[in-house]
Amino acid sequence: MRRVLRYGFWGVTSLLALLLVVAVGGFLWLRTSLPDLNSDVLLPGLQAEVTALRDKDGIVTIKAGSDLDAYRALGYLHAQDRLWQMDLMRRSAAGRLSEVIGSPTIRMDRIMRTLGLYNLAKASYSKLTPEVRSALDAYTAGVNAYMDSRSGALPPEFYLLRYSPEPWSPADSLVWSRLMAIQLSGNWRSELLRARLNEFLKPEQIRALWPDYPADAPVALAGLDRRAALDPLESLPWALEPKDASNSWVLSGAKTTTGKPILANDPHLALNAPGLWYLVDIRTPDGRIRGASAPGVPFVVLGQNQHLAWGFTTTHSDTQDLFVEKLDPAQAGHYITPEGPRPFETREEVIAVRGAEDVVLNVRRSRNGPIIDDIADPEDLASASKTAGAESGTRLALAWPALRDDDLIPQAIYGFNKASNWQEFLAASRFFHAPQQNIVYADVNGNIGLVVPGRVPIRAKGDGRVPVPGWSDEYAWTGFIPFEEMPQGANPEAGLYVVANNKIVDDDYPHLITADWPSQYRAARIQEVLDATPKGSIEDSLALQNDIVSIPARTLMPFLLQTEASSPAAKEALALLSNWDFRLDRTRPEGLIYNNWLNKLNAALLEDELRAEFSSFRRPKTELVARILSGAAAASDPPLDWCDDIGTGQVESCAQILASSLEDSLAEIAAAYGDDIDAWRWGDVHRATLPHPILSRIPVLSDLFDISVETDGGAETVKRAGVSFNGPLDKRFNDRHGAGYRAVYDLADPANSRFMIATGQSANPLSQHYGSFAERWRDSQYVTIDATEANAEYRMLLKPE
């Protein structure tokens, strides 16, 4: 028996040792997927040698003898650092995830195949100028050269999913902007939500759920003078005298300590690891440009060249409409139009699924757009049809400018990279089609500007809020707002523009941009701080990008503090809030008390009325909560008696709801973090979570490679940290949406411009540059981009073959 046990012990030990050796060997093999950043490589097609310098953070500086050599080198370097991320991007857009992941991604693939984004990207290539096509071709060659010449392992994700990357093509680059359009356009979902709410809410209740934009809130182009906005900046010497979410502002020299403009921009998107952005500095005899590139794309998307700087925020315009099509009962495959029945355009899409049978998708398209029945819920079709006035025999079509093959955003961004003045920048922005963006501008000559390009539909009737009949032309699109009539301005008398997804035009603007503008709180705070700073410095703009004062908290606190405390804990919490400076500081308790109370209060006010649709309103709307608590209403609207819980047999008052929601909130926090309120911290529940799309789903690996740091701020602070207000307390307030890129551009000294991304330069989880920026990003730190031969940490020489 002892001998058996002894052999058994040694057998187990040997097996564990073998597994350890295999694990170590596998790890060392995967480490060969990291590129040698100090090497000489041959890059076919180069006309001359290119130097690629990297600083200690892996930020790349490319020195090339021509633009085409720079594009080729950027493709090679993007592939070195972000190959799997690039492959995931193009697979997502092409509806080919299920080939390598399996059944869990079939729904996403069905959406992409129905919309046909990748086919549109391929078709758009021929519509670009020869210069842009040449840039795409050079970049493509650089990506493929890396894949053809690399040695060692592929990035780990390829082995986890058991596949290898295919050659790159220009369409793989062109589809990136289509994916961005999807992320930044979502009105069709709001239309469906309104249609469902129509089933059981009154019209005035639905109106209240989308509050009107306040009359005293910031408007980016208030009092727009269309004639002056379109004149060349150089002819306006007088002007030189003394959605969801992104921030930008631009100050003229009269408003800065340097006497030259300062431009700040931090676009807000979903936070993931790896992040969307890749910092780069490109120098050629034709010029220099630095800023944020997007792996898979040959141009700097957001940045600064030797003449000017620019930044984006989302307009949140309504560019999507749902049209209900009536089927022709006499002819299968036909639908009704004003000219008579017409056959649907059809095509067959085959989705390959790993480990399962192929999925065959019959995609149909009407004159208004692709039929989305197969990617919408059946009840959505029923509600939409009823709203449009057709009970049955219908299909649902999506009209959207992004579904055109002549969308030329890559040409616009190429033009921004090359522009040397406002007029050239404006000319390039004509090609910025979808999604519509607010684009701020500044140049070294002291000019500032704002242009809002994009294809925005002109409707024969309606405001785009609900699905409409497609069988007539009553609600048809009659064209797009002409570029000359798009909102734009230059060198305003105020000396600044502030655009933080707030309303951009006055009510007398002749076209409909959207019927529902996002909230104005970040813009209001930015304007408030800038108005209090007669002449701002770069450091002032850096601090403002990281401002954590909550205007919604300041707005709601007078109502909340009327609550009568019914327990010692409530009395202590109210005392804390009464002395609060409204800063959502991760080291303090007030942010946790306020946000969890607001979460409970919002649910108590709305969930009984909204039923299952409350899930779309978990994030509280300050204007709505304030209106309910105040009892105030416009003359045309009755008061909102939503404090009463319609599911009980008694009538609850707002005072009761305030008190009970506070007690519920405090009890939940105490159960998790103890009774000592002073020891509570907003950071206990508010963490920036940047999950990896694959590794985060694997136990142990998720703990190793997911990036998570405590953060300040909240959903409506300038330092945005968007939360879901959903799930258990320790997940409810995680920061999931924010500034993956921050930049402040100094037009007096471009070397002094500051940058930061949320993760790191590398997408390889084994790299030291994978998440190296996360804590500095959280702590409001920045870097400059100015690598030289003397201070570079790594030096790579790319040589012609």
Side-chain angles (χ1 to χ4, degrees):
M1 175 63 72
R2 289 179 181 174
R3 180 175 297 177
V4 171
L5 290 175
R6 186 166 66 249
Y7 287 143
F9 169 78
W10 286 113
V12 170
T13 302
S14 298
L15 178 60
L16 291 175
L18 178 60
L19 291 174
L20 179 61
V21 169
V22 171
V24 171
F27 174 76
L28 293 176
W29 164 246
L30 288 175
R31 289 275 302 171
T32 66
S33 64
L34 297 174
D36 181 358
L37 304 183
N38 285 305
S39 61
D40 293 353
V41 299
L42 296 177
L43 182 51
L46 283 181
Q47 299 302 305
E49 289 185 350
V50 175
T51 302
L53 306 176
R54 285 180 170 92
D55 66 13
K56 60 183 176 58
D57 293 310
I59 299 173
V60 173
T61 293
I62 296 172
K63 296 181 177 181
S66 69
D67 287 347
L68 288 181
D69 277 0
Y71 296 134
R72 193 176 299 263
L74 182 61
Y76 188 94
L77 299 172
H78 272 169
Q80 271 192 322
D81 287 332
R82 301 286 189 101
L83 181 60
W84 185 76
Q85 180 187 20
M86 292 164 63
D87 190 70
L88 180 69
M89 180 272 291
R90 63 173 171 176
R91 281 190 173 274
S92 298
R96 295 182 58 199
L97 288 175
S98 300
E99 291 180 16
V100 298
I101 294 177
S103 299
T105 54
I106 289 176
R107 176 172 172 77
M108 181 178 290
D109 284 347
R110 290 170 70 96
I111 293 172
M112 295 302 178
R113 297 292 185 96
T114 297
L115 298 179
L117 297 187
Y118 195 80
N119 291 337
L120 292 167
K122 285 195 294 186
S124 68
Y125 175 81
S126 64
K127 295 176 171 57
L128 298 166
T129 63
E131 294 81 8
V132 177
R133 293 201 302 269
S134 294
L136 289 162
D137 292 343
Y139 180 87
T140 295
V143 175
N144 288 328
Y146 173 74
M147 287 195 280
D148 291 341
S149 63
R150 66 167 189 83
S151 60
L154 288 163
E157 296 92 340
F158 287 109
Y159 296 104
L160 287 170
L161 297 175
R162 295 172 291 136
Y163 80 101
S164 298
E166 300 171 357
W168 197 259
S169 75
D172 298 332
S173 296
L174 292 171
V175 82
W176 180 85
S177 62
R178 310 274 178 165
L179 282 179
M180 293 303 296
I182 284 185
Q183 291 190 56
L184 300 174
S185 307
N187 176 261
W188 70 280
R189 295 181 181 86
S190 295
E191 290 187 38
L192 290 176
L193 175 58
R194 287 179 187 269
R196 295 194 301 271
L197 292 171
N198 273 336
E199 301 280 345
F200 59 89
L201 288 184
K202 299 175 182 177
E204 60 268 22
Q205 290 178 304
I206 296 176
R207 282 200 306 273
L209 293 172
W210 281 270
D212 292 336
Y213 193 80
D216 58 350
V219 176
L221 285 165
L224 176 64
D225 180 345
R226 300 216 48 75
R227 180 197 56 77
L230 294 174
D231 282 344
L233 283 174
E234 289 76 13
S235 69
L236 298 174
W238 55 266
L240 303 180
E241 299 296 327
K243 132 197 125 164
D244 236 63
S246 300
N247 301 321
S248 64
W249 59 91
V250 58
L251 306 175
S252 72
K255 298 279 291 182
T256 70
T257 57
T258 66
K260 293 286 188 178
I262 292 173
L263 189 152
N265 181 219
D266 53 298
H268 304 164
L269 295 164
L271 297 175
N272 294 290
L276 177 66
W277 305 109
Y278 182 94
L279 299 178
V280 68
D281 178 6
I282 301 174
R283 309 177 192 180
T284 73
D286 290 334
R288 180 176 181 181
I289 185 165
R290 70 187 105 194
S293 67
V297 179
F299 313 122
V300 172
V301 179
L302 300 162
Q304 175 180 32
N305 65 23
Q306 70 270 31
H307 304 290
L308 53 87
W310 72 94
F312 297 163
T313 64
T314 297
T315 312
H316 286 279
S317 51
D318 182 354
T319 60
Q320 296 178 327
D321 277 350
L322 291 177
F323 287 90
V324 176
E325 309 287 13
K326 276 186 181 179
L327 298 179
D328 179 12
Q331 300 182 78
H334 287 62
Y335 65 102
I336 304 299
T337 76
E339 294 78 31
R342 183 184 298 184
F344 288 108
E345 299 174 26
T346 62
R347 71 177 191 275
E348 183 178 273
E349 296 278 352
V350 179
I351 302 172
V353 183
R354 167 168 277 172
E357 299 208 356
D358 293 350
V359 173
V360 178
L361 185 64
N362 293 311
V363 178
R364 294 160 293 177
R365 182 182 181 88
S366 75
R367 66 190 184 121
N368 291 306
I371 302 301
I372 63 169
D373 293 3
D374 292 331
I375 58 175
D377 294 329
E379 55 266 30
D380 283 334
L381 176 60
S383 297
S385 298
K386 186 175 180 180
T387 299
E391 294 295 333
S392 61
T394 58
R395 294 290 180 263
L396 199 57
L398 171 64
W400 183 25
L403 302 180
R404 293 171 58 109
D405 64 7
D406 62 348
D407 187 294
L408 302 180
I409 277 187
Q411 189 162 312
I413 296 176
Y414 173 84
F416 297 161
N417 283 216
K418 291 297 196 179
S420 62
N421 57 49
W422 174 241
Q423 292 308 307
E424 291 177 4
F425 194 87
L426 271 185
S429 68
R430 285 179 175 271
F431 301 105
F432 206 100
H433 292 147
Q436 186 180 29
Q437 296 283 280
N438 312 311
I439 306 179
V440 289
Y441 166 98
D443 67 37
V444 296
N445 294 321
N447 303 303
I448 66 172
L450 169 60
V451 60
V452 190
R455 283 176 170 156
V456 179
I458 298 174
R459 299 170 175 88
K461 181 181 177 182
D463 60 10
R465 283 174 162 168
V466 295
V468 295
W471 56 87
S472 75
D473 285 335
E474 185 179 5
Y475 295 88
W477 289 6
T478 61
F480 298 116
I481 300 175
F483 177 80
E484 290 75 15
E485 299 176 26
M486 297 303 294
Q488 51 191 278
N491 292 332
E493 185 176 356
L496 80 167
Y497 288 114
V498 173
V499 194
N501 310 116
N502 49 308
K503 189 176 181 179
I504 59 170
V505 291
D506 287 331
D507 290 340
D508 59 359
Y509 179 70
H511 300 290
L512 175 69
I513 301 292
T514 181
D516 298 302
W517 293 100
S519 66
Q520 45 91 15
Y521 297 112
R522 281 177 292 106
R525 176 58 180 168
I526 293 167
Q527 191 76 53
E528 177 181 79
V529 173
L530 293 178
D531 286 347
T533 311
K535 288 186 179 290
S537 65
I538 287 290
E539 286 68 27
D540 290 330
S541 279
L542 296 175
L544 182 51
Q545 277 191 337
N546 294 279
D547 185 272
I548 56 173
V549 171
S550 172
I551 300 296
R554 195 165 74 188
T555 301
L556 290 176
M557 200 53 59
F559 303 108
L560 301 182
L561 291 179
Q562 294 176 16
T563 303
E564 185 173 340
S566 56
S567 69
K571 184 176 181 180
E572 184 178 357
L574 289 170
L576 269 175
L577 293 178
S578 67
N579 293 303
W580 185 28
D581 60 5
F582 309 111
R583 297 176 74 252
L584 293 174
D585 184 333
R586 69 179 186 272
T587 67
R588 296 285 305 167
E590 291 91 348
L592 174 54
I593 296 169
Y594 164 73
N595 278 287
N596 205 48
W597 184 7
L598 183 59
N599 175 69
K600 299 287 187 182
L601 175 62
N602 187 62
L605 294 174
L606 302 184
E607 192 167 13
D608 53 325
E609 278 89 0
L610 301 188
R611 308 174 192 175
E613 302 305 335
F614 174 68
S615 61
S616 298
F617 295 90
R618 286 191 180 277
R619 179 177 164 184
K621 292 188 176 184
T622 303
E623 299 96 332
L624 176 59
V625 174
R627 182 183 163 194
I628 293 172
L629 295 181
S630 69
S636 58
D637 291 326
L640 298 173
D641 296 327
W642 284 4
C643 287
D644 176 39
D645 184 345
I646 61 177
T648 67
Q650 56 189 10
V651 177
E652 290 83 7
S653 67
C654 289
Q656 289 174 303
I657 293 297
L658 280 166
S660 62
S661 59
L662 175 59
E663 294 292 348
D664 289 348
S665 172
L666 296 175
E668 183 180 35
I669 300 171
Y673 298 105
D675 294 326
D676 183 0
I677 291 181
D678 286 332
W680 294 352
R681 301 169 66 259
W682 175 226
D684 288 337
V685 299
H686 190 241
R687 302 183 66 88
T689 55
L690 294 92
H692 187 283
I694 297 298
L695 300 180
S696 64
R697 291 166 169 77
I698 303 174
V700 179
L701 292 183
S702 63
D703 296 333
L704 291 174
F705 298 117
D706 277 2
I707 297 171
S708 179
V709 292
E710 290 186 0
T711 53
D712 304 295
E716 293 289 357
T717 57
V718 179
K719 185 176 187 177
R720 188 171 191 273
V723 301
S724 67
F725 285 91
N726 190 25
L729 181 60
D730 63 336
K731 306 290 185 185
R732 184 177 303 154
F733 302 111
N734 276 348
D735 175 7
R736 301 178 181 182
H737 192 278
Y741 172 68
R742 298 189 185 111
V744 176
Y745 304 102
D746 187 344
L747 276 299
D749 179 11
N752 190 41
S753 296
R754 313 294 177 84
F755 305 86
M756 182 52 62
I757 56 176
T759 51
Q761 285 288 91
S762 177
N764 191 317
L766 302 179
S767 170
Q768 64 176 315
H769 300 134
Y770 175 66
S772 56
F773 284 127
E775 290 189 359
R776 284 179 282 173
W777 169 80
R778 183 271 310 277
D779 294 337
S780 309
Q781 298 178 24
Y782 292 78
V783 297
T784 57
I785 304 178
D786 196 29
T788 66
E789 295 278 359
N791 65 22
E793 192 82 8
Y794 311 95
R795 183 181 187 276
M796 177 177 290
L797 188 63
L798 306 173
K799 301 179 178 180
E801 189 173 57

